[in-house]
Amino acid sequence: MEKILVTGFEPFGGERTNPSWEVASTLPATIAGHAVVCERIPVSFSRGPAAVLAAIKRENPAIVLCLGQAGGRAKVTPEFVGINYADARIPDNDGARPQGTRLLEGAPDAHFSTLPVHAMSQAMADAGVPAAVSYTAGTYVCNAVLFSTLHALAKSRSTVRAGFVHVPYAPEQARRLPEATPCMPVSLMRKAIVSALERACSRD
């Protein structure tokens, strides 16, 4: 049975939870005939990408889907592109705060997701979950993980397909934020990710 590797982040920025891991850790054991393996990764410019690449090497998955929190977004958003750039608004969990720097010297300026992001977005919408393709993964650790993963796979000419999906705040987080802050129940996010992965596994 082929594997899907799904990663989610630990909490950061003073939060007690991170919905990306809440979703990843509660996914079904199998999706579309693939075994689902989950990995919790650190919010760290150095250790985050390394943890994903180590998990890929260990698990040898067919598909890698990294999840991250995008506070302020109202929809579940598959990312179209990762860029070779870091500009951190706040320090990561190791205290690092790169500003205006390239992630990897000698690497391309960008790598595009190798998952069918438009079809995945449509599958989530068809399942009744607000979703849209995003064309910016930001310049924090989420983008670093996406770009570094895609670069490593491209450099090794791997057939592993990989991408990234951002999820909104969970309601328990939004309750501590301004009243109009968008949020989404973890159960609905999970439904979205299952639908997206089912579509990603399809070859049609």
Side-chain angles (χ1 to χ4, degrees), residues 14-25:
E15 294 287 341
R16 294 191 291 270
T17 63
N18 190 317
S20 68
W21 177 243
E22 298 302 314
V23 172
S25 63

Side-chain angles (χ1 to χ4, degrees), residues 106-125:
D109 291 334
H111 281 291
F112 298 108
S113 173
T114 51
L115 294 178
V117 293
H118 291 92
M120 290 164 65
S121 177
Q122 187 60 55
M124 291 189 280

Side-chain angles (χ1 to χ4, degrees), residues 5-10 39-56 58 64 66-67 92-94 96 103-104 140-150 152 164:
L5 171 65
V6 182
T7 72
F9 283 103
E10 66 187 3
E39 186 84 7
R40 188 174 187 255
I41 63 174
V43 178
S44 164
F45 278 97
S46 60
R47 294 187 297 121
V52 176
L53 295 179
I56 291 172
R58 182 179 67 248
V64 178
C66 302
L67 306 180
D92 67 12
N93 284 358
D94 291 336
L103 290 165
L104 296 170
Y140 195 53
V141 178
C142 290
N143 173 72
V145 162
L146 173 59
F147 178 83
S148 299
T149 300
L150 291 172
F164 197 103

Side-chain angles (χ1 to χ4, degrees), residues 1 22 30 46 51 53 87-88 102 131 135 144 146 165 180 189 199:
M1 183 182 291
E22 298 302 314
T30 59
S46 60
L53 295 179
D87 194 19
R102 292 179 73 84
Y135 296 94
L146 173 59
V165 173
M189 299 184 209
R199 184 60 185 83

Side-chain angles (χ1 to χ4, degrees), residues 27-98:
L27 288 172
T30 59
I31 294 176
H34 291 63
V36 176
V37 180
C38 299
E39 186 84 7
R40 188 174 187 255
I41 63 174
V43 178
S44 164
F45 278 97
S46 60
R47 294 187 297 121
V52 176
L53 295 179
I56 291 172
K57 184 176 181 180
R58 182 179 67 248
E59 301 294 344
N60 190 30
I63 292 172
V64 178
L65 184 63
C66 302
L67 306 180
Q69 169 191 298
R73 294 190 188 183
K75 298 180 178 182
V76 180
T77 50
E79 297 295 343
F80 187 80
V81 61
I83 60 173
N84 189 4
Y85 187 73
D87 194 19
R89 178 180 58 85
I90 60 173
D92 67 12
N93 284 358
D94 291 336
R97 191 183 178 188

